[in-house]
Amino acid sequence: MHRFADERYADLSLLMRTGERSGEVFDALLARGEVVVHSTELERTAEVAALGDDLIIADTREQVAAINAMIRDRRQVAGERTGEHSGEPITRRGERIGLGDRVATRRNDRDLGVANRDVWTVVGTGDDGSLVVAGRAGQRVLPRDYVSDHIELAFASTAYGAQGETVNSAHLIVGESTGAASAYVGMTRGRHHNVAHLVADSVEDARRQWIDVFNRDRADLGPGHAATRVDEAIDRYGSQAAPSSAAHQAAALAASQRRTEHQPPYTSRPPGPGVRR
């Protein structure tokens, strides 16, 4: 609650956290100008790509990649990038990285002083494919191999990637697979503005979608349901996806117990060090 500049929004965030009175929350957000209804998916993607430096949060990595690519192209056309040259590295995902781009490191490396999901701005490029990046932790030099394998554009992010972020303004892409937990994360990253973007035929349709979101993927549906969501997250994001909250940790435990027969119960322990998600 202390993140928000507006106390009234802090009250709305508490309702989003619990999923209570979701229709009333939608009405309040709409009145505040923090719900935008788009007629098509293409229109929505184009409009959010023109939002400048605001954080954009989407459901899937495919959506994130599409938005990141559009933002990079727009910045190129607008002259916000200095132009492509032979020293700009291309990642294994096919993303070209240049000066001024916002990127995320996706692997812990103590020697380089970077962690998974740290966000940086590119302030220098080397002819050998290396990057100089700056962030809250200072400035780092990333060699070509790390850049190629473990760097990605980060103008947009999944809800998993946005956890822990605090920015001035954030925008949530609401889709058919958006759950209550993801929507809460997406609508609570901005100090001053948090805006939900929906594709709908009408405001009434958008309101129905919003209510559906906050009836979906609720942690209070029990460990069995939560374990299923963990399985789905692994399918979507890969086998290295780690639970990012106490509820997800409990779900992982439930999933493990469900798959293992005739195992004696054990006492849970705090998770050990690993890749930060």
Side-chain angles (χ1 to χ4, degrees), residues 74-89:
R74 181 193 58 79
R75 295 180 68 244
Q76 182 74 52
V77 171
E80 296 175 22
R81 301 181 75 258
T82 58
E84 298 179 359
H85 59 79
S86 59
E88 286 188 347

Side-chain angles (χ1 to χ4, degrees), residues 27-106:
D27 296 339
L29 293 173
L30 184 67
R32 292 167 57 92
E34 292 176 315
V35 169
V36 179
V37 180
H38 304 269
S39 58
T40 67
E41 183 68 39
L42 182 61
E43 174 194 291
R44 176 170 67 177
T45 301
E47 290 192 19
V48 298
L51 290 170
D53 294 331
D54 293 355
L55 176 63
I56 301 165
I57 300 168
D59 278 337
T60 68
R61 291 181 63 80
E62 290 77 14
Q63 287 176 310
V64 167
I67 294 169
N68 278 329
M70 188 170 287
I71 291 174
R72 186 186 182 282
D73 291 346
R74 181 193 58 79
R75 295 180 68 244
Q76 182 74 52
V77 171
E80 296 175 22
R81 301 181 75 258
T82 58
E84 298 179 359
H85 59 79
S86 59
E88 286 188 347
I90 299 176
T91 71
R92 63 178 180 178
R93 298 179 63 192
E95 295 178 332
R96 184 183 289 272
I97 309 296
L99 287 173
D101 285 343
R102 186 163 66 198
V103 299
T105 45
R106 293 307 312 274

Side-chain angles (χ1 to χ4, degrees), residues 1 4 42 65 83 117 133-134 160-161 199 221:
M1 290 184 63
F4 308 114
L42 182 61
R117 297 197 184 280
V133 297
Y160 285 109
V199 174
L221 293 179

Side-chain angles (χ1 to χ4, degrees), residues 16-19 59 159 172 177-187 210-220 229:
M16 285 186 275
R17 182 176 183 177
T18 62
D59 278 337
L172 171 68
S177 59
T178 306
S182 295
Y184 172 74
V185 170
M187 292 299 289
W210 179 267
I211 293 171
D212 287 345
V213 164
F214 283 91
N215 286 324
R216 188 184 301 140
D217 191 25
R218 292 287 305 280
D220 60 4
R229 299 302 296 152

Side-chain angles (χ1 to χ4, degrees), residues 253-266:
L253 174 60
S256 175
Q257 290 175 330
R258 186 181 68 237
R259 296 190 187 100
T260 306
E261 296 181 357
H262 309 301
Q263 285 275 9
Y266 63 94

Side-chain angles (χ1 to χ4, degrees), residues 172-193:
L172 171 68
I173 305 299
V174 179
E176 293 181 355
S177 59
T178 306
S182 295
Y184 172 74
V185 170
M187 292 299 289
T188 55
R189 299 304 93 195
R191 296 184 187 91
H192 302 290
H193 299 287

